[in-house]
mmCIF file of all heavy atoms in Angstrom:
data_model
loop_
_atom_site.group_PDB
_atom_site.id
_atom_site.type_symbol
_atom_site.label_atom_id
_atom_site.label_comp_id
_atom_site.label_asym_id
_atom_site.label_seq_id
_atom_site.Cartn_x
_atom_site.Cartn_y
_atom_site.Cartn_z
ATOM 1 N N THR A 1 18.721 112.538 -10.083
ATOM 2 C CA THR A 1 19.724 113.628 -10.259
ATOM 3 C C THR A 1 20.156 113.511 -11.677
ATOM 4 O O THR A 1 20.313 112.561 -12.372
ATOM 5 C CB THR A 1 21.109 112.891 -9.448
ATOM 6 O OG1 THR A 1 20.722 112.874 -8.078
ATOM 7 C CG2 THR A 1 22.141 114.000 -9.561
ATOM 8 N N ASN A 2 20.293 114.817 -12.102
ATOM 9 C CA ASN A 2 20.733 115.192 -13.480
ATOM 10 C C ASN A 2 19.790 114.256 -14.487
ATOM 11 O O ASN A 2 20.266 113.682 -15.461
ATOM 12 C CB ASN A 2 22.127 114.709 -13.764
ATOM 13 C CG ASN A 2 23.046 115.423 -12.930
ATOM 14 O OD1 ASN A 2 22.846 116.647 -12.522
ATOM 15 N ND2 ASN A 2 24.206 114.877 -12.591
ATOM 16 N N CYS A 3 18.432 114.454 -14.337
ATOM 17 C CA CYS A 3 17.492 113.720 -15.002
ATOM 18 C C CYS A 3 16.609 114.667 -15.867
ATOM 19 O O CYS A 3 16.389 115.768 -15.439
ATOM 20 C CB CYS A 3 16.672 112.689 -14.207
ATOM 21 S SG CYS A 3 17.573 111.346 -13.552
ATOM 22 N N VAL A 4 15.993 114.176 -16.826
ATOM 23 C CA VAL A 4 14.968 114.919 -17.643
ATOM 24 C C VAL A 4 13.681 113.990 -17.604
ATOM 25 O O VAL A 4 13.745 112.911 -17.985
ATOM 26 C CB VAL A 4 15.322 115.229 -18.985
ATOM 27 C CG1 VAL A 4 14.221 115.914 -19.626
ATOM 28 C CG2 VAL A 4 16.597 116.175 -19.124
ATOM 29 N N GLY A 5 12.553 114.537 -17.225
ATOM 30 C CA GLY A 5 11.327 113.784 -17.268
ATOM 31 C C GLY A 5 10.185 114.599 -17.875
ATOM 32 O O GLY A 5 9.915 115.768 -17.522
ATOM 33 N N VAL A 6 9.459 113.915 -18.693
ATOM 34 C CA VAL A 6 8.350 114.535 -19.458
ATOM 35 C C VAL A 6 7.058 113.845 -19.192
ATOM 36 O O VAL A 6 7.119 112.601 -19.526
ATOM 37 C CB VAL A 6 8.591 114.638 -20.884
ATOM 38 C CG1 VAL A 6 7.464 115.322 -21.580
ATOM 39 C CG2 VAL A 6 9.897 115.503 -21.222
ATOM 40 N N GLY A 7 6.113 114.347 -18.652
ATOM 41 C CA GLY A 7 4.946 113.592 -18.284
ATOM 42 C C GLY A 7 3.697 114.274 -18.959
ATOM 43 O O GLY A 7 3.577 115.463 -19.122
ATOM 44 N N HIS A 8 2.831 113.355 -19.430
ATOM 45 C CA HIS A 8 1.418 113.847 -19.923
ATOM 46 C C HIS A 8 0.281 113.354 -18.985
ATOM 47 O O HIS A 8 0.313 112.181 -18.663
ATOM 48 C CB HIS A 8 1.256 113.510 -21.365
ATOM 49 C CG HIS A 8 1.363 112.104 -21.710
ATOM 50 N ND1 HIS A 8 0.309 111.189 -21.657
ATOM 51 C CD2 HIS A 8 2.477 111.236 -21.979
ATOM 52 C CE1 HIS A 8 0.651 109.879 -21.897
ATOM 53 N NE2 HIS A 8 1.943 109.994 -22.203
ATOM 54 N N ASN A 9 -0.508 114.223 -18.456
ATOM 55 C CA ASN A 9 -1.614 113.888 -17.550
ATOM 56 C C ASN A 9 -0.904 113.593 -16.120
ATOM 57 O O ASN A 9 -1.772 113.242 -15.414
ATOM 58 C CB ASN A 9 -2.391 112.757 -17.920
ATOM 59 C CG ASN A 9 -3.068 112.906 -19.304
ATOM 60 O OD1 ASN A 9 -3.435 114.117 -19.532
ATOM 61 N ND2 ASN A 9 -3.293 111.966 -20.080
ATOM 62 N N ASP A 10 0.401 113.739 -15.951
ATOM 63 C CA ASP A 10 0.935 113.569 -14.600
ATOM 64 C C ASP A 10 2.240 114.301 -14.482
ATOM 65 O O ASP A 10 2.619 114.973 -15.511
ATOM 66 C CB ASP A 10 1.056 112.201 -14.158
ATOM 67 C CG ASP A 10 0.820 112.024 -12.601
ATOM 68 O OD1 ASP A 10 1.434 112.772 -11.860
ATOM 69 O OD2 ASP A 10 0.046 111.092 -12.193
ATOM 70 N N ALA A 11 2.999 114.181 -13.508
ATOM 71 C CA ALA A 11 4.280 114.927 -13.305
ATOM 72 C C ALA A 11 5.288 114.530 -14.265
ATOM 73 O O ALA A 11 5.366 113.365 -14.665
ATOM 74 C CB ALA A 11 4.751 114.643 -11.894
ATOM 75 N N GLY A 12 6.185 115.563 -14.574
ATOM 76 C CA GLY A 12 7.301 115.121 -15.381
ATOM 77 C C GLY A 12 8.236 114.340 -14.507
ATOM 78 O O GLY A 12 8.792 113.250 -14.978
ATOM 79 N N ILE A 13 8.566 114.890 -13.245
ATOM 80 C CA ILE A 13 9.446 114.024 -12.349
ATOM 81 C C ILE A 13 8.806 114.129 -10.953
ATOM 82 O O ILE A 13 8.350 115.167 -10.616
ATOM 83 C CB ILE A 13 10.839 114.766 -12.342
ATOM 84 C CG1 ILE A 13 11.687 114.588 -13.570
ATOM 85 C CG2 ILE A 13 11.582 114.044 -11.204
ATOM 86 C CD1 ILE A 13 12.906 115.170 -13.521
ATOM 87 N N SER A 14 8.557 113.023 -10.401
ATOM 88 C CA SER A 14 7.983 112.894 -9.110
ATOM 89 C C SER A 14 8.963 112.185 -8.216
ATOM 90 O O SER A 14 9.216 110.949 -8.573
ATOM 91 C CB SER A 14 6.689 112.282 -9.150
ATOM 92 O OG SER A 14 6.051 112.037 -7.779
ATOM 93 N N THR A 15 9.540 112.845 -7.233
ATOM 94 C CA THR A 15 10.625 112.188 -6.379
ATOM 95 C C THR A 15 10.614 112.758 -4.988
ATOM 96 O O THR A 15 9.766 113.741 -4.623
ATOM 97 C CB THR A 15 11.876 112.417 -7.054
ATOM 98 O OG1 THR A 15 12.936 111.774 -6.310
ATOM 99 C CG2 THR A 15 12.268 113.789 -7.181
ATOM 100 N N ASP A 16 11.447 112.297 -4.149
ATOM 101 C CA ASP A 16 11.651 112.958 -2.797
ATOM 102 C C ASP A 16 12.776 114.081 -2.952
ATOM 103 O O ASP A 16 12.602 115.203 -2.301
ATOM 104 C CB ASP A 16 12.066 111.885 -1.717
ATOM 105 C CG ASP A 16 10.981 110.950 -1.471
ATOM 106 O OD1 ASP A 16 9.813 111.561 -1.424
ATOM 107 O OD2 ASP A 16 11.205 109.761 -1.256
ATOM 108 N N VAL A 17 13.882 113.811 -3.639
ATOM 109 C CA VAL A 17 14.916 114.821 -3.659
ATOM 110 C C VAL A 17 15.296 114.869 -5.203
ATOM 111 O O VAL A 17 15.629 113.861 -5.762
ATOM 112 C CB VAL A 17 16.144 114.362 -2.982
ATOM 113 C CG1 VAL A 17 17.233 115.297 -3.047
ATOM 114 C CG2 VAL A 17 15.798 114.229 -1.336
ATOM 115 N N ALA A 18 15.224 116.063 -5.626
ATOM 116 C CA ALA A 18 15.575 116.248 -7.140
ATOM 117 C C ALA A 18 16.858 117.236 -7.091
ATOM 118 O O ALA A 18 16.764 118.373 -6.563
ATOM 119 C CB ALA A 18 14.474 116.946 -7.987
ATOM 120 N N THR A 19 17.815 116.847 -7.861
ATOM 121 C CA THR A 19 19.142 117.722 -8.085
ATOM 122 C C THR A 19 19.455 117.740 -9.558
ATOM 123 O O THR A 19 19.752 116.690 -10.243
ATOM 124 C CB THR A 19 20.205 116.875 -7.266
ATOM 125 O OG1 THR A 19 19.886 116.744 -5.845
ATOM 126 C CG2 THR A 19 21.455 117.886 -7.320
ATOM 127 N N GLY A 20 19.600 118.938 -10.013
ATOM 128 C CA GLY A 20 19.990 119.138 -11.402
ATOM 129 C C GLY A 20 19.219 118.577 -12.396
ATOM 130 O O GLY A 20 19.504 118.113 -13.448
ATOM 131 N N CYS A 21 17.728 118.668 -12.167
ATOM 132 C CA CYS A 21 16.764 118.038 -13.058
ATOM 133 C C CYS A 21 15.973 119.031 -13.672
ATOM 134 O O CYS A 21 15.853 120.173 -13.355
ATOM 135 C CB CYS A 21 15.857 117.116 -12.169
ATOM 136 S SG CYS A 21 16.578 115.585 -11.551
ATOM 137 N N ARG A 22 15.368 118.529 -14.796
ATOM 138 C CA ARG A 22 14.445 119.292 -15.511
ATOM 139 C C ARG A 22 13.175 118.545 -15.813
ATOM 140 O O ARG A 22 13.349 117.198 -16.266
ATOM 141 C CB ARG A 22 14.860 119.622 -16.952
ATOM 142 C CG ARG A 22 13.927 120.500 -17.712
ATOM 143 C CD ARG A 22 14.331 120.713 -19.227
ATOM 144 N NE ARG A 22 13.479 121.416 -20.024
ATOM 145 C CZ ARG A 22 13.404 122.773 -20.182
ATOM 146 N NH1 ARG A 22 14.325 123.441 -19.521
ATOM 147 N NH2 ARG A 22 12.535 123.352 -20.879
ATOM 148 N N GLY A 23 12.011 118.978 -15.403
ATOM 149 C CA GLY A 23 10.755 118.228 -15.540
ATOM 150 C C GLY A 23 9.652 119.089 -16.219
ATOM 151 O O GLY A 23 9.596 120.290 -16.001
ATOM 152 N N GLU A 24 8.821 118.440 -17.195
ATOM 153 C CA GLU A 24 7.883 119.053 -17.922
ATOM 154 C C GLU A 24 6.620 118.331 -17.912
ATOM 155 O O GLU A 24 6.655 116.970 -17.863
ATOM 156 C CB GLU A 24 8.435 119.278 -19.278
ATOM 157 C CG GLU A 24 9.570 120.139 -19.548
ATOM 158 C CD GLU A 24 10.029 120.299 -21.027
ATOM 159 O OE1 GLU A 24 9.164 119.996 -21.892
ATOM 160 O OE2 GLU A 24 10.993 120.647 -21.172
ATOM 161 N N SER A 25 5.457 118.978 -17.869
ATOM 162 C CA SER A 25 4.119 118.370 -17.812
ATOM 163 C C SER A 25 3.121 119.286 -18.369
ATOM 164 O O SER A 25 3.295 120.467 -18.281
ATOM 165 C CB SER A 25 3.784 118.033 -16.409
ATOM 166 O OG SER A 25 2.441 117.401 -16.340
ATOM 167 N N ASP A 26 2.247 118.519 -18.943
ATOM 168 C CA ASP A 26 1.155 119.433 -19.571
ATOM 169 C C ASP A 26 0.066 119.871 -18.544
ATOM 170 O O ASP A 26 -0.542 120.955 -18.605
ATOM 171 C CB ASP A 26 0.369 118.762 -20.755
ATOM 172 C CG ASP A 26 0.115 117.241 -20.564
ATOM 173 O OD1 ASP A 26 0.189 116.765 -19.384
ATOM 174 O OD2 ASP A 26 -0.358 116.586 -21.474
ATOM 175 N N THR A 27 -0.331 118.885 -17.684
ATOM 176 C CA THR A 27 -1.524 119.197 -16.678
ATOM 177 C C THR A 27 -1.063 119.180 -15.226
ATOM 178 O O THR A 27 -1.916 119.583 -14.438
ATOM 179 C CB THR A 27 -2.611 118.165 -16.969
ATOM 180 O OG1 THR A 27 -2.066 116.865 -16.745
ATOM 181 C CG2 THR A 27 -3.142 118.201 -18.293
ATOM 182 N N ALA A 28 0.091 118.518 -14.944
ATOM 183 C CA ALA A 28 0.515 118.461 -13.446
ATOM 184 C C ALA A 28 1.762 119.095 -13.387
ATOM 185 O O ALA A 28 2.243 119.996 -14.113
ATOM 186 C CB ALA A 28 0.629 116.937 -13.261
ATOM 187 N N SER A 29 2.476 118.773 -12.166
ATOM 188 C CA SER A 29 3.672 119.451 -11.863
ATOM 189 C C SER A 29 4.823 119.072 -12.871
ATOM 190 O O SER A 29 4.900 118.055 -13.158
ATOM 191 C CB SER A 29 4.059 119.310 -10.456
ATOM 192 O OG SER A 29 3.121 119.799 -9.485
ATOM 193 N N GLY A 30 5.624 120.121 -13.225
ATOM 194 C CA GLY A 30 6.875 119.739 -14.016
ATOM 195 C C GLY A 30 7.742 118.873 -13.197
ATOM 196 O O GLY A 30 8.234 117.888 -13.468
ATOM 197 N N ILE A 31 7.960 119.318 -11.899
ATOM 198 C CA ILE A 31 8.695 118.572 -10.947
ATOM 199 C C ILE A 31 8.020 118.726 -9.583
ATOM 200 O O ILE A 31 7.639 119.714 -9.060
ATOM 201 C CB ILE A 31 10.150 119.243 -10.701
ATOM 202 C CG1 ILE A 31 10.966 118.933 -11.974
ATOM 203 C CG2 ILE A 31 10.883 118.389 -9.521
ATOM 204 C CD1 ILE A 31 12.456 119.522 -11.846
ATOM 205 N N PHE A 32 7.721 117.524 -9.057
ATOM 206 C CA PHE A 32 7.275 117.358 -7.619
ATOM 207 C C PHE A 32 8.383 116.776 -6.916
ATOM 208 O O PHE A 32 8.650 115.516 -7.131
ATOM 209 C CB PHE A 32 5.919 116.671 -7.392
ATOM 210 C CG PHE A 32 5.593 116.358 -6.105
ATOM 211 C CD1 PHE A 32 4.894 117.450 -5.352
ATOM 212 C CD2 PHE A 32 5.831 115.081 -5.520
ATOM 213 C CE1 PHE A 32 4.739 117.195 -3.859
ATOM 214 C CE2 PHE A 32 5.441 114.898 -4.100
ATOM 215 C CZ PHE A 32 4.927 115.975 -3.433
ATOM 216 N N ALA A 33 9.011 117.379 -5.868
ATOM 217 C CA ALA A 33 9.888 116.943 -5.035
ATOM 218 C C ALA A 33 9.542 117.021 -3.593
ATOM 219 O O ALA A 33 9.353 118.065 -3.073
ATOM 220 C CB ALA A 33 11.360 117.700 -5.185
ATOM 221 N N ASN A 34 9.238 115.908 -3.028
ATOM 222 C CA ASN A 34 8.579 115.839 -1.746
ATOM 223 C C ASN A 34 9.475 116.568 -0.663
ATOM 224 O O ASN A 34 8.843 117.354 0.115
ATOM 225 C CB ASN A 34 8.321 114.411 -1.275
ATOM 226 C CG ASN A 34 7.363 114.379 -0.038
ATOM 227 O OD1 ASN A 34 6.545 115.192 0.064
ATOM 228 N ND2 ASN A 34 7.604 113.411 0.808
ATOM 229 N N TYR A 35 10.755 116.389 -0.667
ATOM 230 C CA TYR A 35 11.518 117.042 0.404
ATOM 231 C C TYR A 35 12.357 118.297 -0.159
ATOM 232 O O TYR A 35 12.376 119.260 0.540
ATOM 233 C CB TYR A 35 12.503 115.905 0.867
ATOM 234 C CG TYR A 35 11.798 114.800 1.614
ATOM 235 C CD1 TYR A 35 12.567 113.522 1.360
ATOM 236 C CD2 TYR A 35 10.628 114.853 2.153
ATOM 237 C CE1 TYR A 35 11.909 112.409 2.154
ATOM 238 C CE2 TYR A 35 10.133 113.772 2.841
ATOM 239 C CZ TYR A 35 10.826 112.569 2.744
ATOM 240 O OH TYR A 35 10.141 111.396 3.233
#
């Protein structure tokens, strides 16, 4: 919740529930939210 995640070679944010987040990635998903 209300997070920023930056990933290189994988997801910026990988979670079940994302709320108010920003995710960035070079090669994978910026945000992966399972639910």
